[in-house]
Every structure is written in C-alpha cells, then in structure tokens.
Coordinates of all heavy atoms in Angstrom, one line a residue:
M1 N -21.5 0.3 21.5 CA -21.3 1.4 20.6 C -20.8 0.9 19.3 O -19.9 0.1 19.2 CB -20.2 2.3 21.2 CG -20.0 3.5 20.4 SD -18.9 4.7 21.2 CE -17.5 4.7 20.1
E2 N -21.5 1.3 18.2 CA -21.1 0.9 16.9 C -20.6 2.1 16.1 O -21.1 3.2 16.2 CB -22.4 0.3 16.2 CG -22.8 -1.0 16.7 CD -24.0 -1.6 16.0 OE1 -24.2 -1.1 14.9 OE2 -24.6 -2.5 16.5
I3 N -19.6 1.8 15.3 CA -18.9 2.8 14.5 C -19.3 2.4 13.0 O -19.2 1.2 12.7 CB -17.4 2.8 14.7 CG1 -17.1 3.2 16.1 CG2 -16.8 3.8 13.7 CD1 -15.7 3.1 16.5
L4 N -19.7 3.3 12.2 CA -20.0 3.1 10.8 C -21.3 2.2 10.7 O -21.5 1.6 9.7 CB -18.9 2.5 10.0 CG -17.6 3.3 10.0 CD1 -16.5 2.5 9.3 CD2 -17.8 4.6 9.3
G5 N -22.0 2.1 11.8 CA -23.3 1.3 11.7 C -23.1 -0.2 11.8 O -24.0 -0.9 12.1
V6 N -21.9 -0.7 11.6 CA -21.7 -2.1 11.6 C -20.6 -2.6 12.5 O -20.7 -3.6 13.2 CB -21.3 -2.6 10.1 CG1 -21.1 -4.1 10.1 CG2 -22.4 -2.2 9.2
L7 N -19.5 -1.9 12.5 CA -18.3 -2.3 13.3 C -18.3 -1.7 14.7 O -18.5 -0.5 14.9 CB -17.0 -1.9 12.6 CG -16.8 -2.4 11.2 CD1 -15.5 -1.8 10.6 CD2 -16.7 -3.9 11.2
G8 N -18.1 -2.6 15.6 CA -17.9 -2.2 17.0 C -16.4 -2.0 17.3 O -15.6 -2.2 16.5
P9 N -16.1 -1.5 18.6 CA -14.7 -1.3 18.9 C -13.8 -2.5 18.8 O -12.7 -2.4 18.4 CB -14.8 -0.7 20.3 CG -16.1 -1.0 20.8 CD -17.0 -1.2 19.6
W10 N -14.4 -3.7 19.2 CA -13.5 -4.9 19.2 C -13.2 -5.3 17.8 O -12.1 -5.8 17.5 CB -14.2 -6.0 20.0 CG -14.2 -5.7 21.4 CD1 -15.2 -5.4 22.2 CD2 -13.0 -5.7 22.3 NE1 -14.8 -5.2 23.5 CE2 -13.5 -5.3 23.6 CE3 -11.7 -5.9 22.1 CZ2 -12.6 -5.2 24.6 CZ3 -10.8 -5.8 23.1 CH2 -11.3 -5.4 24.4
Q11 N -14.2 -5.1 16.8 CA -13.9 -5.5 15.4 C -12.8 -4.5 14.9 O -12.0 -5.0 14.1 CB -15.2 -5.4 14.6 CG -16.2 -6.5 14.9 CD -17.1 -6.1 16.0 OE1 -17.1 -5.1 16.6 NE2 -17.9 -7.1 16.4
L12 N -12.9 -3.3 15.2 CA -11.8 -2.3 14.8 C -10.4 -2.7 15.3 O -9.4 -2.6 14.7 CB -12.2 -0.9 15.1 CG -13.3 -0.3 14.3 CD1 -13.6 1.1 14.8 CD2 -13.0 -0.3 12.8
V13 N -10.4 -3.1 16.6 CA -9.1 -3.5 17.2 C -8.5 -4.7 16.5 O -7.3 -4.8 16.3 CB -9.4 -3.9 18.7 CG1 -8.2 -4.6 19.3 CG2 -9.7 -2.7 19.5
I14 N -9.3 -5.5 15.9 CA -8.8 -6.7 15.1 C -8.5 -6.3 13.7 O -7.5 -6.7 13.2 CB -9.9 -7.8 15.2 CG1 -10.0 -8.4 16.6 CG2 -9.5 -9.0 14.2 CD1 -11.1 -9.3 16.8
I15 N -9.4 -5.5 13.1 CA -9.3 -5.2 11.6 C -8.2 -4.2 11.3 O -7.4 -4.4 10.4 CB -10.6 -4.7 11.1 CG1 -11.6 -5.9 11.1 CG2 -10.5 -4.2 9.7 CD1 -13.0 -5.5 10.7
L16 N -8.0 -3.1 12.1 CA -7.1 -2.1 11.8 C -5.6 -2.6 11.8 O -4.9 -2.2 10.9 CB -7.3 -0.9 12.8 CG -8.5 -0.1 12.5 CD1 -8.6 1.1 13.5 CD2 -8.6 0.5 11.1
P17 N -5.2 -3.3 12.8 CA -3.8 -3.8 12.7 C -3.5 -4.7 11.5 O -2.5 -4.7 10.9 CB -3.6 -4.6 14.0 CG -4.6 -4.1 14.9 CD -5.7 -3.7 14.1
I18 N -4.5 -5.5 11.1 CA -4.4 -6.4 9.9 C -4.3 -5.5 8.7 O -3.4 -5.8 7.9 CB -5.6 -7.3 9.8 CG1 -5.5 -8.4 11.0 CG2 -5.6 -8.1 8.5 CD1 -6.8 -9.2 11.1
L19 N -5.1 -4.5 8.6 CA -5.0 -3.6 7.4 C -3.7 -2.8 7.4 O -3.1 -2.6 6.4 CB -6.2 -2.6 7.4 CG -7.5 -3.2 6.9 CD1 -8.6 -2.2 7.0 CD2 -7.4 -3.8 5.6
A20 N -3.2 -2.5 8.6 CA -2.0 -1.7 8.7 C -0.8 -2.6 8.3 O 0.2 -2.0 7.9 CB -1.8 -1.2 10.1
F21 N -0.9 -3.9 8.4 CA 0.2 -4.8 8.0 C 0.0 -5.2 6.5 O 1.0 -5.2 5.7 CB 0.2 -6.0 8.9 CG 1.2 -7.0 8.4 CD1 2.6 -6.8 8.6 CD2 0.8 -8.2 7.7 CE1 3.5 -7.8 8.1 CE2 1.7 -9.1 7.3 CZ 3.1 -8.9 7.5
L22 N -1.2 -5.5 6.1 CA -1.5 -6.0 4.8 C -1.3 -5.0 3.7 O -0.7 -5.3 2.6 CB -2.9 -6.6 4.7 CG -3.0 -8.0 5.2 CD1 -4.5 -8.5 5.1 CD2 -2.1 -9.0 4.6
L23 N -1.7 -3.8 3.8 CA -1.6 -2.8 2.8 C -0.2 -2.5 2.4 O 0.2 -2.6 1.2 CB -2.3 -1.5 3.2 CG -3.8 -1.4 3.0 CD1 -4.3 -0.1 3.6 CD2 -4.2 -1.6 1.6
P24 N 0.7 -2.3 3.4 CA 2.1 -2.1 3.0 C 2.8 -3.3 2.4 O 3.6 -3.3 1.5 CB 2.8 -1.7 4.3 CG 1.7 -1.2 5.2 CD 0.5 -1.9 4.8
A25 N 2.4 -4.5 2.9 CA 3.0 -5.7 2.4 C 2.6 -6.0 1.0 O 3.4 -6.3 0.1 CB 2.5 -6.9 3.3
I26 N 1.3 -5.8 0.6 CA 0.8 -5.9 -0.7 C 1.5 -4.9 -1.6 O 1.9 -5.2 -2.7 CB -0.7 -5.8 -0.8 CG1 -1.3 -7.0 -0.1 CG2 -1.2 -5.7 -2.2 CD1 -2.8 -6.9 0.2
A27 N 1.6 -3.7 -1.1 CA 2.3 -2.6 -1.9 C 3.7 -3.0 -2.2 O 4.2 -2.8 -3.3 CB 2.2 -1.3 -1.2
L28 N 4.5 -3.4 -1.2 CA 5.9 -3.8 -1.4 C 6.1 -4.9 -2.4 O 7.0 -4.9 -3.2 CB 6.5 -4.1 -0.1 CG 6.8 -2.9 0.8 CD1 7.3 -3.4 2.2 CD2 7.8 -2.0 0.2
V29 N 5.2 -5.9 -2.3 CA 5.3 -7.0 -3.2 C 5.0 -6.5 -4.7 O 5.7 -6.9 -5.6 CB 4.3 -8.1 -2.9 CG1 4.1 -9.2 -4.0 CG2 4.7 -8.8 -1.6
D30 N 4.0 -5.7 -4.8 CA 3.8 -5.1 -6.2 C 4.9 -4.3 -6.7 O 5.2 -4.3 -7.9 CB 2.5 -4.3 -6.1 CG 2.0 -4.0 -7.5 OD1 1.9 -4.9 -8.4 OD2 1.7 -2.8 -7.8
I31 N 5.5 -3.5 -5.8 CA 6.7 -2.6 -6.2 C 7.8 -3.5 -6.7 O 8.4 -3.3 -7.7 CB 7.1 -1.7 -5.0 CG1 6.0 -0.7 -4.8 CG2 8.4 -1.1 -5.4 CD1 6.2 0.1 -3.5
I32 N 8.1 -4.6 -5.9 CA 9.2 -5.5 -6.2 C 9.0 -6.2 -7.6 O 9.9 -6.3 -8.4 CB 9.5 -6.5 -5.1 CG1 10.0 -5.7 -3.9 CG2 10.4 -7.6 -5.5 CD1 10.0 -6.6 -2.6
R33 N 7.7 -6.6 -7.9 CA 7.4 -7.3 -9.1 C 7.3 -6.4 -10.3 O 7.2 -7.0 -11.4 CB 6.2 -8.1 -8.8 CG 6.4 -9.2 -7.8 CD 5.1 -10.0 -7.6 NE 4.9 -10.8 -8.8 CZ 3.9 -11.6 -9.0 NH1 3.0 -11.7 -8.0 NH2 3.8 -12.3 -10.0
S34 N 7.2 -5.1 -10.1 CA 6.9 -4.2 -11.3 C 8.2 -3.5 -11.7 O 9.2 -3.5 -11.0 CB 5.9 -3.2 -10.9 OG 4.7 -3.8 -10.5
E35 N 8.2 -3.0 -12.9 CA 9.3 -2.2 -13.4 C 8.8 -0.7 -13.5 O 7.7 -0.5 -13.9 CB 9.7 -2.7 -14.8 CG 10.3 -4.1 -14.8 CD 10.9 -4.5 -16.1 OE1 11.2 -3.6 -16.9 OE2 10.9 -5.7 -16.4
F36 N 9.7 0.2 -13.2 CA 9.4 1.6 -13.2 C 10.5 2.3 -13.9 O 11.6 1.8 -14.1 CB 9.4 2.1 -11.7 CG 8.3 1.6 -10.9 CD1 8.4 0.4 -10.2 CD2 7.0 2.2 -10.8 CE1 7.4 -0.1 -9.4 CE2 6.0 1.7 -10.1 CZ 6.2 0.5 -9.3
N37 N 10.2 3.6 -14.3 CA 11.1 4.5 -14.9 C 12.1 5.0 -13.8 O 11.6 5.4 -12.7 CB 10.4 5.6 -15.6 CG 9.6 5.2 -16.8 OD1 10.1 4.3 -17.5 ND2 8.5 5.8 -17.0
G38 N 13.4 5.1 -14.2 CA 14.3 5.8 -13.3 C 14.4 5.2 -11.9 O 14.5 4.0 -11.7
N39 N 14.3 6.1 -10.9 CA 14.4 5.7 -9.5 C 13.1 5.5 -8.8 O 13.0 5.5 -7.6 CB 15.3 6.7 -8.7 CG 16.7 6.7 -9.2 OD1 17.3 5.7 -9.6 ND2 17.4 7.9 -9.2
D40 N 12.0 5.4 -9.6 CA 10.7 5.3 -8.9 C 10.6 4.1 -8.0 O 9.9 4.2 -7.0 CB 9.6 5.3 -10.0 CG 9.5 6.6 -10.7 OD1 10.0 7.6 -10.2 OD2 8.8 6.7 -11.8
K41 N 11.2 3.0 -8.4 CA 11.1 1.8 -7.5 C 11.6 2.1 -6.1 O 11.1 1.7 -5.1 CB 11.7 0.6 -8.2 CG 11.6 -0.7 -7.4 CD 12.2 -1.8 -8.1 CE 11.2 -2.5 -9.1 NZ 11.6 -3.8 -9.5
I42 N 12.8 2.7 -6.1 CA 13.5 3.0 -4.8 C 12.7 4.0 -4.0 O 12.5 3.8 -2.8 CB 14.9 3.5 -5.1 CG1 15.8 2.4 -5.7 CG2 15.5 4.0 -3.8 CD1 17.1 2.9 -6.2
I43 N 12.2 5.0 -4.7 CA 11.4 6.0 -4.0 C 10.1 5.5 -3.5 O 9.8 5.7 -2.3 CB 11.1 7.2 -5.0 CG1 12.4 7.9 -5.4 CG2 10.1 8.1 -4.4 CD1 12.2 8.9 -6.5
F44 N 9.4 4.7 -4.2 CA 8.1 4.1 -3.7 C 8.4 3.1 -2.6 O 7.7 3.1 -1.6 CB 7.4 3.3 -4.8 CG 6.5 4.2 -5.7 CD1 6.7 4.2 -7.1 CD2 5.6 5.1 -5.2 CE1 5.9 5.0 -7.9 CE2 4.9 5.9 -6.0 CZ 5.0 5.9 -7.3
T45 N 9.5 2.4 -2.7 CA 9.9 1.4 -1.6 C 10.1 2.2 -0.3 O 9.7 1.8 0.8 CB 11.1 0.6 -2.0 OG1 10.8 -0.1 -3.2 CG2 11.4 -0.4 -0.9
L46 N 10.9 3.3 -0.4 CA 11.2 4.0 0.8 C 10.0 4.7 1.4 O 9.8 4.7 2.6 CB 12.3 5.1 0.5 CG 13.7 4.5 0.2 CD1 14.6 5.7 -0.3 CD2 14.2 3.8 1.4
I47 N 9.1 5.2 0.6 CA 7.9 5.8 1.1 C 7.0 4.8 1.8 O 6.5 5.1 2.9 CB 7.1 6.5 -0.1 CG1 7.8 7.7 -0.6 CG2 5.7 6.9 0.4 CD1 7.2 8.3 -1.9
V48 N 6.9 3.6 1.2 CA 6.1 2.6 1.9 C 6.7 2.1 3.2 O 6.0 1.8 4.1 CB 5.8 1.4 0.9 CG1 5.1 0.3 1.6 CG2 4.9 1.9 -0.2
L49 N 8.1 2.0 3.2 CA 8.7 1.5 4.4 C 8.7 2.6 5.5 O 8.5 2.2 6.7 CB 10.2 1.2 4.1 CG 10.4 0.0 3.3 CD1 11.9 -0.2 3.0 CD2 9.9 -1.3 4.0
F50 N 8.8 3.8 5.2 CA 8.8 4.9 6.3 C 7.5 5.4 6.6 O 7.3 5.9 7.8 CB 9.7 6.0 5.9 CG 11.2 5.7 5.9 CD1 11.9 5.6 4.7 CD2 11.8 5.4 7.1 CE1 13.3 5.3 4.8 CE2 13.1 5.0 7.2 CZ 13.9 5.0 6.0
L51 N 6.5 5.3 5.7 CA 5.1 5.7 6.0 C 4.2 4.6 5.6 O 3.5 4.7 4.5 CB 4.8 7.0 5.3 CG 5.6 8.3 5.5 CD1 5.3 9.3 4.5 CD2 5.4 8.7 6.9
P52 N 4.1 3.5 6.3 CA 3.5 2.3 5.8 C 2.1 2.5 5.3 O 1.8 2.2 4.1 CB 3.5 1.4 7.0 CG 4.6 1.8 7.9 CD 4.6 3.3 7.7
V53 N 1.1 2.9 6.0 CA -0.2 3.0 5.6 C -0.4 4.1 4.6 O -1.0 3.9 3.5 CB -1.2 3.1 6.8 CG1 -2.7 3.3 6.2 CG2 -1.1 1.9 7.7
L54 N 0.0 5.2 4.9 CA -0.1 6.4 4.0 C 0.7 6.1 2.7 O 0.2 6.4 1.6 CB 0.4 7.7 4.6 CG 0.3 8.9 3.8 CD1 -1.1 9.2 3.4 CD2 0.9 10.1 4.5
G55 N 1.9 5.6 2.8 CA 2.7 5.3 1.7 C 2.1 4.3 0.8 O 2.1 4.4 -0.5
A56 N 1.4 3.2 1.3 CA 0.8 2.2 0.5 C -0.4 2.8 -0.2 O -0.6 2.6 -1.4 CB 0.3 1.1 1.4
I57 N -1.2 3.7 0.5 CA -2.3 4.3 -0.2 C -1.8 5.2 -1.3 O -2.4 5.2 -2.4 CB -3.1 5.1 0.8 CG1 -3.8 4.2 1.8 CG2 -4.2 6.0 0.1 CD1 -4.5 4.8 3.0
L58 N -0.8 6.0 -1.1 CA -0.2 6.8 -2.1 C 0.3 6.0 -3.3 O 0.1 6.4 -4.5 CB 0.9 7.7 -1.6 CG 0.5 8.9 -0.7 CD1 1.8 9.5 -0.1 CD2 -0.3 9.9 -1.5
Y59 N 0.9 4.9 -3.0 CA 1.4 4.0 -4.1 C 0.3 3.5 -4.9 O 0.4 3.5 -6.1 CB 2.3 2.8 -3.5 CG 2.6 1.8 -4.6 CD1 3.5 2.1 -5.6 CD2 1.9 0.6 -4.6 CE1 3.7 1.2 -6.6 CE2 2.2 -0.3 -5.6 CZ 3.1 0.0 -6.6 OH 3.3 -0.9 -7.6
F60 N -0.8 3.1 -4.3 CA -1.9 2.5 -5.0 C -2.6 3.6 -5.9 O -3.2 3.3 -6.9 CB -2.9 1.8 -4.1 CG -2.4 0.5 -3.6 CD1 -2.4 0.3 -2.2 CD2 -1.9 -0.5 -4.4 CE1 -1.9 -0.9 -1.7 CE2 -1.4 -1.6 -3.9 CZ -1.4 -1.9 -2.5
I61 N -2.5 4.8 -5.5 CA -3.1 5.9 -6.3 C -2.1 6.4 -7.4 O -2.6 6.5 -8.5 CB -3.4 7.1 -5.3 CG1 -4.6 6.7 -4.4 CG2 -3.8 8.4 -6.1 CD1 -4.8 7.8 -3.3
I62 N -0.9 6.6 -7.1 CA 0.1 7.2 -8.0 C 0.9 6.1 -8.8 O 1.2 6.3 -9.9 CB 1.1 8.1 -7.3 CG1 0.3 9.2 -6.6 CG2 2.1 8.7 -8.2 CD1 1.2 10.0 -5.6
G63 N 1.2 5.0 -8.1 CA 2.1 4.0 -8.7 C 1.7 3.4 -10.0 O 2.6 3.3 -10.9
P64 N 0.5 3.0 -10.3 CA 0.1 2.4 -11.5 C 0.5 3.3 -12.8 O 0.8 2.8 -13.8 CB -1.4 2.1 -11.4 CG -1.6 2.0 -10.0 CD -0.7 3.0 -9.3
S65 N 0.4 4.6 -12.6 CA 0.7 5.5 -13.8 C 2.2 5.6 -14.0 O 2.6 6.0 -15.1 CB 0.1 6.8 -13.5 OG 0.7 7.5 -12.4
R66 N 3.0 5.2 -13.0 CA 4.4 5.3 -13.1 C 5.1 4.0 -13.6 O 6.3 4.0 -13.8 CB 5.0 5.7 -11.8 CG 4.4 7.0 -11.2 CD 4.8 8.2 -11.9 NE 6.2 8.4 -11.8 CZ 6.8 9.4 -12.4 NH1 6.2 10.2 -13.1 NH2 8.1 9.5 -12.3
K67 N 4.4 2.9 -13.7 CA 4.9 1.7 -14.1 C 5.2 1.7 -15.6 O 4.6 2.3 -16.4 CB 3.9 0.5 -13.8 CG 3.7 0.2 -12.4 CD 2.8 -0.9 -12.2 CE 2.5 -1.2 -10.7 NZ 1.6 -2.3 -10.6
I68 N 6.2 0.8 -16.0 CA 6.5 0.6 -17.4 C 5.5 -0.4 -17.9 O 5.4 -1.5 -17.3 CB 7.9 0.1 -17.6 CG1 8.9 1.2 -17.2 CG2 8.2 -0.3 -19.1 CD1 10.4 0.8 -17.2
Q69 N 4.8 -0.1 -18.9 CA 3.8 -1.0 -19.5 C 4.4 -2.0 -20.4 O 5.1 -1.6 -21.4 CB 2.7 -0.2 -20.2 CG 1.9 0.7 -19.3 CD 1.1 0.0 -18.2 OE1 0.6 -1.1 -18.5 NE2 1.1 0.7 -17.1
K70 N 4.2 -3.2 -20.3 CA 4.7 -4.3 -21.2 C 3.6 -4.7 -22.1 O 2.5 -5.1 -21.6 CB 5.2 -5.5 -20.4 CG 6.4 -5.2 -19.5 CD 6.9 -6.4 -18.8 CE 8.1 -6.2 -18.0 NZ 8.5 -7.4 -17.3
W71 N 3.8 -4.7 -23.3 CA 2.8 -5.1 -24.3 C 3.1 -6.3 -25.0 O 4.0 -6.8 -25.4 CB 2.5 -4.0 -25.3 CG 2.0 -2.7 -24.6 CD1 2.7 -1.6 -24.4 CD2 0.7 -2.5 -24.1 NE1 1.9 -0.7 -23.7 CE2 0.7 -1.2 -23.5 CE3 -0.5 -3.2 -24.0 CZ2 -0.4 -0.7 -22.9 CZ3 -1.5 -2.7 -23.4 CH2 -1.5 -1.4 -22.9

C-alpha cells in the first residue's frame, strides 16, 4: 500500500518521528538566536515546547514577521 503515490507505511514510520523531532528543534534554535519585541520569544518558546509540531509550524508562519529586523 502506498500513500501519496510514493511513500509506503514503513517510510512514514521512519520519516514522521524524524520530522516530529527536527521541526521543533529547528524552531527552538531559530527562536533562541533571534530577537523579538516584548515577550514574543518566551511565548514562541512555550508554544513550541508544549505543542511541538503545531507550534513549530505556527512559528515558521507567524514568527518571521515578529522578529526585530537588524539592518
């Protein structure tokens, strides 16, 4: 049985846990290295820690617009 035309169940068993760990890890590293207005850094960190995959996706969508831009 193939899902999405390419990936089978064993590939998903391997890929999904890796993504579930990597997305939040990359998001947390980016949050730590960036500067934000107010308490945004703490808020994003808590969201990613308590809702890892969803929080990371939300951070990658909303986070860049909340960063302090250095010129």
Side-chain angles (χ1 to χ4, degrees):
M1 181 171 120
E2 291 185 12
I3 299 172
L4 302 174
V6 179
L7 298 176
W10 290 109
Q11 288 86 8
L12 288 177
V13 168
I14 294 170
I15 292 172
L16 289 180
I18 292 172
L19 287 177
F21 174 75
L22 280 180
L23 280 178
I26 293 169
L28 286 173
V29 168
D30 191 50
I31 291 168
I32 291 169
R33 296 180 69 182
S34 301
E35 292 186 30
F36 294 90
N37 292 321
N39 293 327
D40 288 347
K41 184 179 272 197
I42 295 169
I43 293 169
F44 280 125
T45 302
L46 291 174
I47 290 171
V48 172
L49 287 176
F50 288 113
L51 302 168
V53 176
L54 179 62
I57 292 170
L58 287 173
Y59 171 71
F60 289 127
I61 293 171
I62 300 170
S65 66
R66 306 292 295 178
K67 291 182 184 178
I68 295 175
Q69 300 295 326
K70 294 182 181 180
W71 297 104

